[in-house]
Amino acid sequence: MAFVDSDPAAGNTQLAASVKILIAGGFGVGKTTMVGAISEVAPLRTEEMITETSVGVDDLSGVEGKKTTTVALDFGRITIDRSLVLYLFGTPGQDRFWFLWDELARGALGAVVIADTRRLESSFAAIDFFEKRGVTFAIAVNCFQGAPIYTTDEVRDALDLDGHTPVVFCDARERNSVKDVLMTLVEHLIARASAQALP
């Protein structure tokens, strides 16, 4: 399975299965960046400037330099091959916008939870959300410059993940790195579906 360039005129995507994937995680972990790095269409973004209204409401610790925030969703699309197209929905990261998550999660086949090792605790809410709803997910550790470096097992232990949940290190700015994350999730979804189909 490999990514291909979409060519609607050639009918590449007309018969493809459409799969909804959520890109989730805490505030400032790289959700908007990840969707923008991989989308084959101009991504839809709902970013607004962070204003003084955020003071005392939003936790900006660890991301003090961030100037914008997603207030609804990010949207992008990537064609895996002629039979599969992923529609990516990036969730808002701030607590006050989490009421949107239930609607965004409706119909999602899987999710990527982006983690930042400088503040792994910001991943717990997303992990808990997907575990409670039975949505299969993978962890993408976005490797920020100067962030602490941990092994896969250390991240898995810190996030209290089961042994089957994939953990992938990535750079959310790099298309090939994001491809690896999405392919890991797709392969995990296929493996789970195959295991459930066994008698």
Side-chain angles (χ1 to χ4, degrees), residues 4 15 18 20-21 36 39 42 44 46 57 66-67 80 112 118 126-127 133 145 149 153-154 161-162 165:
V4 299
L15 300 177
S18 299
K20 181 178 183 180
I21 300 293
S39 181
L44 168 68
T46 58
V57 177
K66 190 167 170 58
K67 303 297 183 194
I80 301 291
V112 172
R118 298 171 299 181
I127 291 169
R133 288 158 181 80
Q145 185 174 3
I149 299 173
D153 287 339
E154 287 172 329
L161 301 172
D162 66 44
T165 302

Side-chain angles (χ1 to χ4, degrees), residues 116-127:
D116 177 352
T117 59
R118 298 171 299 181
R119 44 199 181 93
L120 279 175
E121 68 281 356
S122 70
S123 305
F124 286 124
I127 291 169

Side-chain angles (χ1 to χ4, degrees), residues 26-143:
F27 178 58
V29 295
K31 300 178 295 294
T32 298
T33 301
M34 180 173 279
V35 173
I38 196 67
S39 181
E40 65 197 12
V41 297
L44 168 68
R45 294 182 171 139
T46 58
E47 286 202 305
E48 295 293 338
M49 294 297 295
I50 295 174
T51 65
E52 291 182 4
T53 307
S54 295
V55 177
V57 177
D58 300 318
D59 182 8
L60 303 179
S61 56
V63 288
E64 292 84 358
K66 190 167 170 58
K67 303 297 183 194
T68 61
T69 184
T70 298
V71 297
L73 64 99
D74 298 308
F75 173 79
R77 183 190 75 201
I78 183 67
T79 302
I80 301 291
D81 60 28
R82 287 173 176 78
S83 65
L84 181 61
V85 176
L86 302 184
Y87 290 91
L88 309 175
F89 290 78
T91 64
Q94 292 169 292
D95 296 9
R96 60 194 166 116
F97 297 123
W98 281 356
F99 68 92
L100 295 168
W101 282 38
D102 278 317
E103 192 60 36
L104 289 173
R106 196 179 310 276
L109 190 61
V112 172
V113 176
I114 305 179
D116 177 352
T117 59
R118 298 171 299 181
R119 44 199 181 93
L120 279 175
E121 68 281 356
S122 70
S123 305
F124 286 124
I127 291 169
D128 187 54
F129 179 89
F130 294 125
E131 285 181 341
K132 285 183 176 176
R133 288 158 181 80
V135 177
T136 301
F137 63 93
I139 301 293
V141 179
N142 194 7
C143 298

